[in-house]
Amino acid sequence: MTLKWQRGVPVDGSVYNAAYVDFDWTAGLRRRGIDATNNPIRISLRDTASYSEANHPETTAPQNASSRIDGLKGTAPLVTDMYAEAPIGAAGDGAERRPLIERESGADTPQSYPEGSVVMAVIDSGIAFANGRFCTPPEGDTVVPVSRFSHLMLPTGTGAFSVLGRSDIAELMQAGLNPATGQFHEINVYTKTARRQSDGRRNVRPLSLPAPHGTQVADLLAGADMADGVTTRPMIGVDLPSSAIIDTSGSIAAAYIPALLDEILALSATMTGPDGKPLPLIINISLGFTAGPCDGTHPVERAMFDAVQSALAAGREVHMTLPAGNHAQSRLHAELDADDWDKDGLASLTLRVPSDDATPNFTEIWLPERPLQDFFEDPRETSLALTLRLPDGRIAALDEVPRFEETWELWDGSSHIASAYYLLHVYGAGRVRPRLILALRPTTAFSTTTYRTQPGDYAILMEDMPGAKPQISVRVQRDDNIVGYRPRGRQARLFEPGYIERDPTGRPLRYDVGDSRITRAGTLSAMATLDPDKPFGGGRYVRDHIHVVAADALGPKGRARAIYSGQRSQDNPVKKSALVGEGLAHAGVLASGFTSTSVFAMTGTSAAAPLYGRMLAETLGLPTDAHTRPQRRSDPAEEVVGTV
């Protein structure tokens, strides 16, 4: 068959991130009875030719492109929730907003707490709020426990969140009582919650798996069998929809998290101590992704920075704990400098795609920041030309010089196998950063109608049209699933013979050696790349209130950084950590599963962040008798929690 690149659906400023998230988006819409031809938000790599070009008018004139970029102002794009029919608006300047937060009656009622109390907020997925680790034992004649959650934010399935207060949560807890037996059953609470809306839409993801990620994180952050938990460590839980969890680009999370952070700050402001001042607040987000600029300008990072900065300006004590990421050894990041381009301005990397991957694979190529006006003249002065060599040796070269905000599709006869997106990341003040995204179809398919591509090594050949030999960053999106979600396949990774993975003893290397362009440095989660020395003002810095936490393990030589922990750089390492395992044979700290009596091991920096958050709460408020579940009963609790 003949390989051929052809123009695809134009990508403008309102859909540029969402367009490449899911190859089978239109198929997913059809399964849910949604008319894909009339949905302008997320039609991209189509399975059929029945899409509507009317939703994607070509506007290539410089003034039109400039207007769209100026209106965007770097905010998150409009995206569509995977289980909804309506688009949602991103929080931020320039984005069209729609109601995202729907407070139930009484949800914002002021609450007073004893001295030394600290609010513990968790943004995650699958939070079993009726679990005994988050409740006080029943008192008096009732068998219904009292939840430590003062507020819950649950997705409605329409792009909005329903905010429940103490009275709503207490009502849901009553649903766990079986009048016939007089016993309390947690699962009845979640059934009641799922059916709470009168029109039948489910507003929580079913907690049907034994170890939901959000439950484990909440347990490590603030769970414990303690009598004073309700009064001194109240909790706010945000249960994200599945679409925000499985999206590897971070664009859906960027549409939710800014508004959710605003709501957490607003609700926690009504939770005061004896002096009438808002309680200290810790927000844990044990999520992450590898896509994005990784320079502190992703919409999620900006939202976190703005939230903390505004709280500090108002005199509040607010902290965030984030995982450093788990991909230091995953070969997902490469850096090319001037020496990696030949005299003709050519460079190449190899992407190794596995044979049984049922998910699409995305590789981002980020170029240096430049003035916006550079992109409205000769495209040869701004574009990065792409040539792809397939595993079977065939070459697919783009004959035309692409412009930014264009999409190109690679067809093998009648089969679509890849797309390339030429996009701009907007910084504001007339500055942008160009990027090229290569999207490959899955290598295996569950349907005869789904396109797929070859497994093997893809050579990505790049030509810098201006010949400037720029410094570029290459990042592969990873789709490793958090605990509680079905694995969807392995994922591609970068490959070159010069990469040294292990030392002579066979142990994985912690730092980069040799001259490979694939690096461990720069592998922080794309949500955690803010400059740690960027000042808030008044002598306070990001590192003092936004805590990026790595994982440590105990080994024969004592406590050391876990080899998978994401790295900033060797010169500026991640300095905060928590102990989550013992060597290679005993990985993980124990946390609660779905039911109160279940216990599962959790590892990675997603576990380290809430452990650090709990330790931080002990320094901000009066200590409690709260302890994590030790890995073994002989382990002292102070060894499990890290230090500043």
Side-chain angles (χ1 to χ4, degrees), residues 15 110 113 187 334 362 375 399 401 451 465 486 490 507:
V15 296
Y113 293 86
I187 194 168
F362 303 102
F375 297 89
D399 296 330
V401 178
Y451 298 131
M465 305 305 292
R486 178 187 300 173
R490 294 176 295 158
R507 295 181 178 274

Side-chain angles (χ1 to χ4, degrees), residues 447-515:
S447 169
T448 57
T449 62
T450 303
Y451 298 131
R452 58 182 175 178
T453 191
Q454 304 172 17
D457 288 351
Y458 286 78
I460 304 173
L461 310 172
M462 298 163 286
E463 179 182 1
D464 177 51
M465 305 305 292
K469 299 183 178 181
Q471 174 84 26
I472 67 172
S473 296
V474 181
R475 302 183 186 277
V476 180
Q477 288 188 31
R478 196 71 174 180
D479 69 347
D480 289 345
N481 292 88
I482 65 172
V483 176
Y485 282 82
R486 178 187 300 173
R488 296 177 295 146
R490 294 176 295 158
Q491 185 74 314
R493 59 179 60 190
L494 299 169
F495 170 79
E496 64 180 14
Y499 180 78
I500 302 175
E501 185 173 3
R502 299 177 182 271
D503 64 19
T505 68
R507 295 181 178 274
L509 288 169
R510 191 175 308 278
Y511 299 109
D512 297 317
V513 297
D515 58 356

Side-chain angles (χ1 to χ4, degrees), residues 264-286:
I264 289 174
L265 290 176
L267 292 174
S268 61
T270 67
M271 304 166 69
T272 59
D275 57 0
K277 295 181 179 180
L279 299 177
L281 169 65
I282 296 174
I283 305 173
N284 184 89
I285 310 178
S286 280

Side-chain angles (χ1 to χ4, degrees), residues 270-598:
T270 67
M271 304 166 69
T272 59
D275 57 0
K277 295 181 179 180
L279 299 177
L281 169 65
I282 296 174
I283 305 173
N284 184 89
I285 310 178
S286 280
L287 305 171
F289 42 86
T290 58
C294 293
D295 58 6
T297 62
H298 191 282
V300 172
E301 287 196 281
R302 286 198 301 271
M304 293 188 294
F305 179 88
D306 292 344
V308 172
Q309 188 177 39
S310 63
L312 294 176
R316 298 185 58 185
E317 188 69 40
V318 175
H319 295 257
M320 290 190 184
T321 51
L322 308 170
N326 303 325
H327 296 303
Q329 306 292 339
S330 298
R331 289 184 283 173
L332 304 180
H333 175 228
E335 292 284 338
L336 278 66
D337 57 27
D339 294 337
D340 295 309
W341 300 84
D342 67 17
K343 61 183 180 61
D344 297 319
L346 300 174
S348 67
L349 278 172
T350 298
L351 182 70
R352 178 163 288 179
V353 182
S355 60
D356 58 352
D357 197 338
T359 61
N361 290 283
F362 303 102
T363 303
E364 293 189 331
I365 302 170
W366 287 87
L367 281 74
E369 180 183 349
R370 300 181 61 175
L372 173 62
Q373 59 266 26
D374 289 356
F375 297 89
F376 299 132
E377 299 177 1
D378 184 359
R380 295 187 63 86
E381 296 301 317
T382 56
S383 291
L384 189 71
L386 173 69
T387 298
L388 200 62
R389 186 174 68 229
L390 275 60
D392 61 10
R394 290 183 294 166
I395 301 292
L398 255 173
D399 296 330
E400 295 189 43
V401 178
R403 292 180 179 270
F404 283 91
E405 296 200 7
E406 284 186 349
T407 300
W408 286 81
E409 297 177 348
L410 179 60
W411 291 78
D412 187 1
S414 61
S415 297
H416 173 255
I417 61 174
S419 281
Y421 301 88
Y422 289 79
L423 310 171
L424 295 175
H425 177 70
V426 182
Y427 289 96
R431 305 290 295 181
V432 294
R433 189 176 177 190
R435 58 173 164 166
L436 182 155
I437 300 171
L438 174 65
L440 294 172
R441 287 274 182 180
T443 58
T444 188
F446 300 118
S447 169
T448 57
T449 62
T450 303
Y451 298 131
R452 58 182 175 178
T453 191
Q454 304 172 17
D457 288 351
Y458 286 78
I460 304 173
L461 310 172
M462 298 163 286
E463 179 182 1
D464 177 51
M465 305 305 292
K469 299 183 178 181
Q471 174 84 26
I472 67 172
S473 296
V474 181
R475 302 183 186 277
V476 180
Q477 288 188 31
R478 196 71 174 180
D479 69 347
D480 289 345
N481 292 88
I482 65 172
V483 176
Y485 282 82
R486 178 187 300 173
R488 296 177 295 146
R490 294 176 295 158
Q491 185 74 314
R493 59 179 60 190
L494 299 169
F495 170 79
E496 64 180 14
Y499 180 78
I500 302 175
E501 185 173 3
R502 299 177 182 271
D503 64 19
T505 68
R507 295 181 178 274
L509 288 169
R510 191 175 308 278
Y511 299 109
D512 297 317
V513 297
D515 58 356
S516 174
R517 298 167 298 174
I518 304 173
T519 68
R520 296 168 180 84
T523 54
L524 278 184
S525 164
M527 288 176 58
T529 63
L530 278 164
D531 182 353
D533 293 321
K534 187 172 183 179
F536 280 126
R540 293 175 292 190
Y541 293 83
V542 171
R543 64 167 180 261
D544 298 324
H545 291 269
I546 299 181
H547 309 268
V548 179
V549 185
D552 285 352
L554 283 179
K557 297 183 180 180
R559 179 169 174 166
R561 187 61 43 84
I563 58 172
Y564 54 77
S565 286
Q567 299 180 16
R568 181 176 286 112
S569 70
Q570 294 186 30
D571 297 330
N572 185 16
V574 176
K575 300 175 182 178
K576 300 172 183 178
S577 64
L579 183 64
V580 299
E582 295 186 20
L584 298 176
H586 189 80
V589 61
L590 298 184
S592 181
F594 170 50
T595 62
S596 300
T597 57
S598 60

Side-chain angles (χ1 to χ4, degrees), residues 122-137:
V122 56
I123 300 178
D124 216 288
S125 178
I127 302 175
F129 61 91
N131 188 299
R133 296 284 285 178
F134 313 128
C135 300
T136 56

